[in-house]
Amino acid sequence: MKAALSIVTTGVVAACLFAASNAAAFTASAPYAAPATRGDVVRVAMEPQGQVKPQFQRRMVRLATNEEPGTVIVDTNNKYLYLVEGNNRARRYGIGVGRDGFGWSGVVKVGRKAEWPGWTPPPEMRVREAKKGHKLPAYQEGGEDNPLGARAMYLYRNGNDTAFRIHGTNQPWSIGLNMSSGCIRMMNKDVIDLYDRVPVGTKVIVVGPGNKQGEVSYQDRGVDVLRTLFGG
């Protein structure tokens, strides 16, 4: 399977977060969210991630690709993120991606990482949501009510922040859907797992709208049942 990749950054809303129907939860009257503690990390990460279709649960898979181990491949069309492990193996995670008009593609890198990141909605998003009657905060502390979830990996290109992130979500039901403003969202338990496995500098290939670019070859050959059940 081959897909062309190119990053589209012009005119992109920088926060990559809520669908409009959920933005009302972040009004000026919303309670202050204190920074999360380690106990919060464990509790939220281990909470049941209900309403997620079985195919989007984390799996070990057989992935044929010529990409180097440690590379992240984001298939926005099929709503999967792969962490390449070599020897035709990968970890596959279910994801939520950009809604219509907010999809993109490209080759980027993890520029920085954050645990329980805070959220600063960009002016464009605040203006857009205000027109819909949703008043967003100027800033929200990290915590389990924060739309960025438990972890964030900030995606850079040529040393510059693209404004896109791979991050957790407090809306696990959105996994498998097109709902964000371009960011890649994961269940909290999955984003924590990925965060612990990818360092700053990791290559991230996003397959999606645009297809202008270099090529990536990969083929998902299905679940590696023994590894999924027993690890390794």
Side-chain angles (χ1 to χ4, degrees):
M1 174 179 183
K2 295 183 179 291
L5 308 168
S6 74
I7 190 163
V8 179
T9 56
T10 304
V12 171
V13 175
C16 319
L17 297 170
F18 282 157
S21 61
N22 296 294
F26 291 89
T27 63
S29 62
Y32 169 77
T37 66
R38 175 60 57 178
D40 292 327
V41 172
V42 174
R43 180 168 62 81
V44 175
M46 298 305 294
E47 282 180 350
Q49 302 289 307
Q51 303 180 26
V52 177
K53 294 180 179 179
Q55 66 264 37
F56 297 119
Q57 297 291 340
R58 188 194 321 164
R59 297 287 186 264
M60 307 291 190
V61 297
R62 295 172 291 116
L63 186 77
T65 181
N66 56 11
E67 293 298 327
E68 293 292 326
T71 302
V72 170
I73 301 173
V74 180
D75 183 345
T76 66
N77 298 312
N78 294 303
K79 314 300 189 297
Y80 288 129
L81 181 152
Y82 299 93
L83 175 60
V84 178
E85 296 181 322
N87 297 321
N88 293 321
R89 294 177 171 182
R91 292 176 184 268
R92 188 182 73 191
Y93 308 83
I95 57 174
V97 300
R99 61 189 183 271
D100 288 347
F102 289 87
W104 62 286
S105 58
V107 180
V108 291
K109 290 185 176 181
V110 175
R112 69 183 182 92
K113 299 164 59 176
E115 298 187 11
W116 294 100
W119 177 40
T120 303
E124 296 90 344
M125 176 177 277
R126 297 184 68 195
V127 170
R128 186 180 73 232
E129 295 303 322
K131 291 179 180 178
K132 301 173 184 177
H134 306 141
K135 186 174 182 180
L136 301 183
Y139 176 77
Q140 184 176 349
E141 293 282 354
E144 61 185 280
D145 293 330
N146 191 296
L148 288 179
R151 299 287 188 275
M153 286 155 275
Y154 298 76
L155 302 179
Y156 281 56
R157 185 188 185 203
N158 298 326
N160 299 311
D161 189 347
T162 66
F164 296 118
R165 290 88 173 88
I166 298 171
H167 63 79
T169 182
N170 55 14
Q171 300 174 315
W173 49 265
S174 67
I175 300 303
L177 302 178
N178 296 74
M179 287 196 58
S180 79
S181 295
C183 285
I184 310 303
R185 60 174 65 178
M186 306 174 70
M187 288 184 282
N188 277 325
K189 65 178 183 178
D190 284 349
V191 78
I192 289 174
D193 185 81
L194 181 67
Y195 183 100
D196 290 342
R197 297 177 187 278
V198 299
V200 170
T202 293
K203 179 181 178 181
V204 179
I205 301 172
V206 179
V207 180
N211 297 326
K212 294 181 179 175
Q213 83 171 98
E215 294 182 346
V216 55
S217 176
Y218 66 98
Q219 183 179 38
D220 188 334
R221 295 180 174 174
V223 175
D224 186 331
V225 177
L226 293 180
R227 290 186 68 226
T228 296
L229 292 176
F230 303 108

